Amino acid sequence: MAATLRDFLFELEAAGELHRIRRPVSPRLEIAEIADRHAKVLAPTPSANAVAFDPGHAGGGGRALLFESVEGCDLPLAINVFGSYRRTEMALGVAGTGGFGAVASRLASLTKPEPPRSLGAMIGKGRELLPLLRTPPRRVRQGVCQEVVRRTERGEVDLRRLPLIQCWPLDGDPTAVGYPMSAEAAGTAGGEGRYVTFAGMHTIHARDARENKPASHNIGMYRAQLVGPTQLVMHWHVHHDGAAHWRSWQAAKMPMPIAICFGGESVLPYAATAPLPPGISELLMAGFLNGRGIPLVRAKTVPLWVPANSEVVIEGFVRTDAGPIGFDPRRDPDGLGPGAAFEGPFGDHTGYYSLPDRYPLVDVTAVTHRRDAIFPATIVGRPPQEDYYLGKATERIFLPLLKTLIPDIEDYHLPMFGCFHNCAFIAIDKAYPLQARRVMHAVWGAGQMAWTKMIVVVDGDVNVHDEAAVLRAMFTHCHFGRDVEIVNGPLDILDHAAPRLGAGHKIGFDATRRMTGEEVGGYDLTPPPPADREAVTRRLEPLAGHDAIDRITVPAVGGGRVVFASVRKTAAGQGAAAIDRIFAATDTGADFVVAVDEDADVGDWSDTFFHLCANADPGRDLHRRGARLGIDATRKLPGDERNGQPVRDYPPIIQMTETVRERVEMHRGEFGLFLAPPPAGAGCAGTGGVHAALLGKIWTWTLALASCQGTVVVLAGRRGRVVDAASCGSTPVVVGLM
């Protein structure tokens, strides 16, 4: 582990994991485009540990980047620092000692302690627990984060000089997503769509305002939009601890102190994202990972303690006279009210823009930093990005804790196409009827896993990290009239398909083998009949090109039982109509039909499942025909309401402008982009732009020609001689020189 961000960057550079960029680059879109391209190519060193649980992406992530000259800003910027498994392992100090599994084992020994059976075992257990005594934070008098102190009251603060970045073209422009409120009227024009994207937000509960050591000290990683020289606007979800703290200060009728801390020990960013139970401090987790407590220094203008080794700290108070979320200027043009701004839109980790809403302002009182500070940031967008690797670290590290809560679980996997909250694959050692459904409901009540929208449960002999194997089990065993569970419940607030903000429906598929006692819905245990994929394809091919159906595929992973259709949707009901036509065209097969928009690649099941998870609500968009199930995963329009469930606004999918792409392309060598840019959508959902079966050879050879799933992969040696190829159709795309 590294004590500071600067130390960690030196470590990465020594390992060949860092690329320095000296050419001046704009913080508006250019940095994001460069970082996004790096995120979609191979990293210098793959993680041998990650091959076991994410074989398709164990070697992805490009390099960490250090922008030494950011236009209009005073500090250099580091990005994509945690953007590979190897670098995240290095940050946690486990790159050579078992990876995330090593941390999981340490946690497991603490959460399930076994009574010692001898004096020697007792001494050994004492040694094992001894490091816990060193994990609480330590208070110190001085810290490098306060080598320079700038106070607002002295006119010394200008947040615009910090390299806050704009990630996507529509960020910060409400009119671009259909709202009749300009950025000026929203109160955010001064920030030009730039955001804090990679900082620990330190807050406490109002009840601890007078406590010397507040037990509620929390670190959350939220976004904050730049508003002007001394103001930001916060964004947090209603279930986050930071939001709960804000409500406590609002009840006390006092502004909430906040410290926004950048950098510090290399374990801090992960600790800030860890799904800890309420009341368990992220500082304790950071100390546990660090092997000793995190040093804290008293903030200069707010009653908080901050990590002494931070690069930059923004201090201030969050206004509590702001109204709640749910403001819409189309219904109440003058209702924004005091203490708030209309924050957003913002290109989010879902791959879509999160739409704007009312959030509270932060009045900044000071900015402190070290003399040679480096400012960290991340690009937020469709995975893989840095948050993908941090999220997968949580998947592995917290597996023992999840198994303690739900002992039935053998293993689980959060596929990239689900963007974490949208899908989970779970393996169980099935012992009794309907056990899979019990596990589904347990997951839907387990901490942050409760937001999971779609669950597939398989038997323990299925490799849950082999996504195709999980889907084959699902389409082999699932009777879609019998083996589907649908519930009401809370959803991620970013789920635009939910009929109501943060509330909708979830779906579970029992893909285990049937046993007596699982006769559900009037169906016996007869397995679903296999389907002739070629025959189904012949029957459905004539539908393509007619009645808004653009393309139809019958993917091999479904063996004829699964059909994907892309729809040129211009009116409500066209997605449902496409499903009906497919059901009518064949009386065998086509048991699971998914309709998506024409910008989805129905030739790639992972991309189709990305759109399915993002754009469908199980309580509104399912179309049942006995044992057949259709899912309308097209973008919903007014008139698509069904089953009493409304339709909310669907945001645009995020994509970079051609102007910015071309500008970056002109200097690609200086930006470390020795790899050609991937085609639109490449490597986003299921493959990371690399054919998983050939990863080992790709790391070995000098020239790699590759593309996403469903294309040709060619590997060439030093002199261009073709040494291996795997044909899946389509044509090769140059991914890069290595």
Side-chain angles (χ1 to χ4, degrees), residues 186-246:
T188 60
E192 300 180 313
R194 294 162 60 192
Y195 278 82
V196 171
T197 59
F198 205 58
M201 310 283 193
H202 292 247
T203 60
I204 61 173
H205 196 281
R207 65 170 176 263
D208 288 338
R210 300 183 184 278
E211 294 293 328
N212 181 43
K213 294 185 177 181
S216 61
H217 189 155
N218 179 76
I219 312 175
M221 189 169 283
Y222 318 126
R223 73 180 189 241
Q225 185 176 355
L226 178 64
V227 172
T230 61
Q231 278 192 321
L232 301 164
V233 56
M234 288 300 306
H235 177 101
W236 41 40
H237 298 177
V238 65
H239 59 273
H240 286 157
D241 289 341
H245 287 177
W246 180 78

Side-chain angles (χ1 to χ4, degrees), residues 1-12 81-82 91 143-145 262-269 290 295 307-311 370 372 374:
M1 289 79 69
T4 69
L5 173 61
R6 176 173 292 273
D7 293 338
F8 187 46
L9 294 178
F10 285 152
E11 183 181 339
L12 293 180
V81 174
F82 293 80
V144 295
C145 68
F262 301 82
E265 285 78 3
S266 61
V267 299
L268 273 173
N290 197 46
N309 290 327
S310 300
E311 298 287 314
R370 61 185 300 170
D372 54 354
I374 298 173

